[in-house]
Amino acid sequence: MARKRIPFFSVLNDKQTYLDLVYILFAFPLSIVYFSLTITGLSLSLGLLILVAGFFIFLGTLIMIQGFRWLDIQLTRVFLGTTIAMKKEKPKEPGLSNFIKHLFGAGTTWKSLIFYIFIKFPIDTIIWSVTIVFIAVTLELLLAPLLYDELL
């Protein structure tokens, strides 16, 4: 008689399950770094705007956010196995002023700024917390028979 596979438990044999778990565990600390650096960059640039240095710090923050976006896309590709199309928009003409115009005019810059501050950090915090709770409860229930004798 052949053993009947239970589809619910077959996920334990799937490699992608563990890659997803590792992605979730990486996403939260990275989200903290993204959020902290973005808020720090925005605060510093706003505070130092009167000294003109704030403008350059703001430019650096926007460039840093583009780097965060690139890193997130790469991590999603590696761990989740999905491909996200990343538009490589370049200024039409070379030069610093064209680069700055392009950076400020690109919709992805502002969408990424909003995403990393208001969406990614809160969602990653919730997902990471729920994952850790589920792992802790699962381990507690699995180890309960071994620990039960020691408690009596």
Side-chain angles (χ1 to χ4, degrees):
M1 184 173 169
R3 293 175 97 188
K4 192 174 185 180
R5 289 185 65 193
I6 302 171
F8 180 77
F9 293 109
S10 66
V11 76
L12 294 174
N13 289 333
D14 190 11
K15 178 180 117 177
Q16 189 62 44
T17 302
Y18 301 103
L19 287 173
D20 293 347
L21 186 60
V22 169
Y23 177 78
I24 289 171
L25 295 176
F26 269 126
F28 178 63
L30 280 175
S31 187
I32 290 173
V33 170
Y34 297 161
F35 181 80
S36 301
L37 290 176
T38 303
I39 293 297
T40 303
L42 291 176
S43 301
L44 271 173
S45 64
L46 186 64
L48 295 173
L49 193 59
I50 198 165
L51 299 175
V52 181
F55 177 72
F56 295 107
I57 293 173
F58 186 66
L59 277 178
T61 303
L62 292 180
I63 293 169
M64 180 179 62
I65 289 171
Q66 294 295 334
F68 293 160
R69 187 172 140 253
W70 177 83
L71 181 62
D72 255 358
I73 289 172
Q74 298 308 315
L75 288 174
T76 303
R77 184 183 57 78
V78 169
F79 285 112
L80 303 181
T82 54
T83 304
I84 298 173
M86 184 173 172
K87 293 180 183 177
K88 292 205 172 195
E89 301 171 1
K90 293 184 179 180
K92 294 176 182 165
E93 298 175 17
L96 182 61
S97 64
N98 289 328
F99 174 75
I100 292 171
K101 285 178 190 176
H102 174 71
L103 188 64
F104 279 98
T108 55
T109 302
W110 305 109
K111 289 175 189 173
S112 298
L113 176 67
I114 298 300
F115 175 73
Y116 287 117
I117 293 176
F118 296 114
I119 298 172
K120 186 165 177 49
F121 181 65
I123 288 177
D124 282 348
T125 303
I126 292 167
I127 291 172
W128 191 81
S129 300
V130 169
T131 301
I132 294 299
V133 167
F134 282 165
I135 290 172
V137 169
T138 301
L139 289 176
E140 178 65 29
L141 291 173
L142 287 173
L143 296 174
L146 300 173
L147 300 175
Y148 183 72
D149 290 337
E150 294 177 10
L151 295 175
L152 294 177

